[in-house]
Amino acid sequence: MMNSVLSMFSCRKRAEKKAEMADRQCGILVIANRSYNCDGLGLQEIPNVIPSSTETLDFSFNSLFSLYSWMFSHFKNLEYINLSRCGINWIYNNAFSNNSRLNTVILTGNPIIYIADIAFLGATSLEHLYLQETSISDLSFIPLKTLNSLVTLHLGSNFISSIRISEDITFENLTMLNFALNQINTISVQDSKFLKQIKNLTLILKGNNIKYIEPNSFNHSDFNHLDLTGCAWNTDVSSLLNGLNGLTTHTLSIGIFDDIDADINLLPSSLTGLCNISVKELSLQYRHLSEDSKESFSCLTKIEKLDLTSMHLHSLPHVSQPNVVKELILNKNVFPSLCNISSDSFPLITRLHIVGNQNSWGLGNKCLERLSILKYLDLSHNDFHKVSCCTAQFSGLHSLLHLNLSFGAPLQLESPAFPANKQLEVLDLSHVFLLTDGSSSPFSNLADLRTLNLSYSHVNSTYIMIFEGLIKLLYLNLNGNFFHNRILKSDNLFSKVLQLETLILSNCDLEVIETQALQKLENLKSVDLSHNKLTSFATNAFGNLSGVSLNFAFNMISTIPISLVRNISNKTTINLSYNPIDCSCSNIEFLTWYKEQEKIFLDKTNTTCGSPPSLTGTELTKVSISCGIPLPYIIPIIIGALIFIIPTLCLVQYCRRRVYAAI
């Protein structure tokens, strides 16, 4: 029995030692006996110290040259292997024969010149194969007959000129086929025959200069996404669309890349091929529309999401045909006014994005009034003409829940600013210089607002009534705003938002937080006070210190009295990184408490000593100092000693006198 126990102990020790050797030889041990990272160590073979129980192995940027049947045969639990840029030229028979659990193989960036017919035969669970940048020019080069369990096949950035795959190859589980950035110029009916057997496929052909697709090539094909971005950039897009007749796809992308200077504009007749395609989401981004015409949109009546990003649009034509567009993206165009988008042509829109208009433009009045069911409106990164906002601009938007006006020009907010949008739940005004008259809160009617972002918005902190009416506000971001005299006072603007759970006050140049400044916010779960100039760990400002995340990183806190941390529960998390913590005896009580409560602290690596010089930069968890009696105890000890000594001396003197008197 004893010999058996000793044998088990010895085996365990050998396994632990082997794992330790693998860690040293193979770089980063991610999970002991299961996951190893040997990335970029210049190795020329798989280290034999890596345990056979390994499930994940990153061996990228090493040197292997060839893959043989014995190289991975002992890794029977292997599920993921990354062999990117290992200089692999040859992949021989049964290279993965014993890897029945292997799910993902990444061979990106290898100059492969030979793959054996049964190289992947044993990898019966292989679902994801990456062969980008491997110089492949013909699909027959890949032993696809043994890969019928594939879910994704990535063949981007090669020299493939045809997507034709033999019809006797079946891909029952394939969901992603990526041919991006190859040399495919045309697609014929024969090329695409095999695609008809696959449902809900995402076919990526972007970056191929496909100039012609033969009609009926995709007839009866059912895709999830067909990506033709960057194709036919120097010919009319109709050469693609006319060949997609009979196609059913959820998403169709036929835009171009933003760095392509396309010579061919979209003519009104260019999009007529869409009439013969069933598509719900269409992207035309970065193409140029030559003229505004109702005919351009005549075949978009069944599209639910339309992306017209950066199409140099000055206006959208009024569309007379009924349409079902629910999401419209008009980013990076050149509209002179919000009224130029002809919003009344799209009455069913629930999401509207007009981000980064390329020139200064106007919000107009009642331009969106007909969009009564609009829920999401993103007008961020726009330079609007100076206006008083936002009663007339957002009139009629009675269903609006999310409004983003961030990174825009200064706004003069009315009081109230959003009278027609009282159902708002999210409002983002970050990086917008807000001007208010100070008479009453611009948000007074937004009783349902849950999230308010006012970061870098020049909020007047002395305007205590600014948040009046926000009775359900849970998240408030005031990052980058400033408080009068750099002090967060006890009587402050947060007395009107008592339901707050998250408060961000980073980069506010704060130096002092008064006692009880945030004690009324009993529901706080996260407070970010990082990147300020605080010298005190002001826990006495909070009413509840249980289950709260306190971020005091990047401040000037050095000494922390133990009285400020005694009431902190182990459910709280604290970040004190990048503070010059005093690691001398004057702070010994906190240092001791820190080690006892180490689990509640975040970013311990950067929570270091700022003084004394001999310990500067040392992690608090590694500090070990020997101190005498702490200074706070010295005075009580002295007083106690005097109280004892003085009466004793008096008693002795009295006794002496009695003795001498008796003599």
Side-chain angles (χ1 to χ4, degrees), residues 25-313:
Q25 188 168 347
C26 214
I28 301 172
L29 171 66
V30 182
I31 302 176
N33 296 316
R34 291 177 56 189
S35 184
Y36 288 87
N37 186 346
C38 309
D39 175 17
L41 298 180
L43 301 174
Q44 296 184 347
E45 61 181 11
I46 307 295
N48 58 13
V49 293
I50 298 179
S52 59
S53 59
T54 298
E55 298 174 1
T56 299
L57 176 60
D58 186 346
F59 201 74
S60 56
F61 292 90
N62 288 293
S63 299
L64 286 179
F65 189 68
S66 299
L67 301 184
Y68 300 96
S69 59
W70 48 264
M71 294 185 74
F72 309 109
S73 59
H74 62 294
F75 295 118
K76 294 186 178 180
N77 294 329
L78 194 64
E79 297 178 2
Y80 170 100
I81 187 166
N82 187 347
L83 299 170
S84 297
R85 305 191 188 281
C86 287
I88 299 169
N89 292 144
W90 303 77
I91 303 178
Y92 290 104
N93 283 338
N94 298 310
F96 302 99
S97 59
N98 282 2
N99 308 118
S100 60
R101 296 178 59 180
L102 190 61
N103 176 271
T104 302
V105 176
I106 302 177
L107 292 164
T108 300
N110 288 287
I112 301 172
I113 58 176
Y114 173 74
I115 303 178
D117 288 342
I118 56 173
F120 299 100
L121 188 61
T124 54
S125 300
L126 187 61
E127 294 184 346
H128 309 287
L129 180 59
Y130 294 78
L131 290 167
Q132 301 104 315
E133 300 180 50
T134 50
S135 302
I136 293 174
S137 59
D138 195 325
L139 290 176
S140 62
F141 179 79
I142 308 168
L144 294 175
K145 286 186 178 181
T146 62
L147 296 170
N148 52 15
S149 63
L150 281 182
V151 174
T152 67
L153 177 58
H154 301 267
L155 298 166
S157 300
N158 283 297
F159 301 99
I160 298 169
S161 58
S162 172
I163 66 170
R164 183 176 300 189
I165 295 177
S166 176
E167 292 182 57
D168 61 349
I169 297 173
T170 58
F171 290 111
E172 294 180 356
N173 303 316
L174 197 67
T175 61
M176 163 75 77
L177 183 54
N178 188 345
F179 286 104
L181 298 168
N182 274 278
Q183 296 183 355
I184 301 166
N185 294 319
T186 61
I187 296 176
S188 68
V189 172
Q190 292 299 318
D191 291 339
S192 58
K193 265 190 175 182
F194 82 99
L195 295 173
K196 292 177 172 51
Q197 64 177 291
I198 307 171
K199 302 297 182 183
N200 295 319
L201 177 69
T202 292
L203 179 61
I204 308 296
L205 292 167
K206 65 181 179 182
N208 290 279
N209 191 17
I210 301 174
K211 299 180 179 180
Y212 177 71
I213 298 177
E214 184 181 1
N216 296 316
S217 293
F218 292 95
N219 192 22
H220 302 302
S221 294
D222 188 354
F223 290 167
N224 176 57
H225 184 191
L226 177 58
D227 192 347
L228 294 168
T229 303
C231 300
W233 57 268
N234 58 353
T235 188
D236 191 84
V237 73
S238 60
S239 61
L240 299 180
L241 295 178
N242 292 336
L244 299 181
N245 62 298
L247 169 69
T248 297
T249 181
H250 183 272
T251 304
L252 175 62
S253 301
I254 53 174
I256 57 176
F257 299 121
D258 60 351
D259 58 348
I260 292 179
D261 186 15
D263 295 327
I264 307 297
N265 291 340
L266 283 178
L267 300 171
S269 59
S270 298
L271 302 178
T272 55
L274 288 169
C275 291
N276 302 314
I277 303 170
S278 177
V279 56
K280 289 186 177 180
E281 299 183 2
L282 175 66
S283 172
L284 291 166
Q285 59 181 2
Y286 295 104
R287 289 195 179 273
H288 292 194
L289 193 63
S290 62
E291 58 181 284
D292 296 337
S293 169
K294 294 180 181 180
E295 188 181 351
S296 300
F297 295 91
S298 61
C299 293
L300 305 182
T301 56
K302 296 181 180 180
I303 290 172
E304 295 181 4
K305 180 178 178 179
L306 181 59
D307 188 346
L308 303 177
T309 295
S310 197
M311 291 185 63
H312 299 266
L313 296 172

Side-chain angles (χ1 to χ4, degrees), residues 7-26:
S7 176
M8 290 173 61
F9 179 76
S10 177
C11 288
R12 184 179 298 175
K13 283 295 184 184
R14 285 199 300 271
E16 290 176 355
K17 186 174 181 180
K18 190 172 183 181
E20 185 179 347
M21 290 174 62
D23 184 19
R24 288 199 302 267
Q25 188 168 347
C26 214

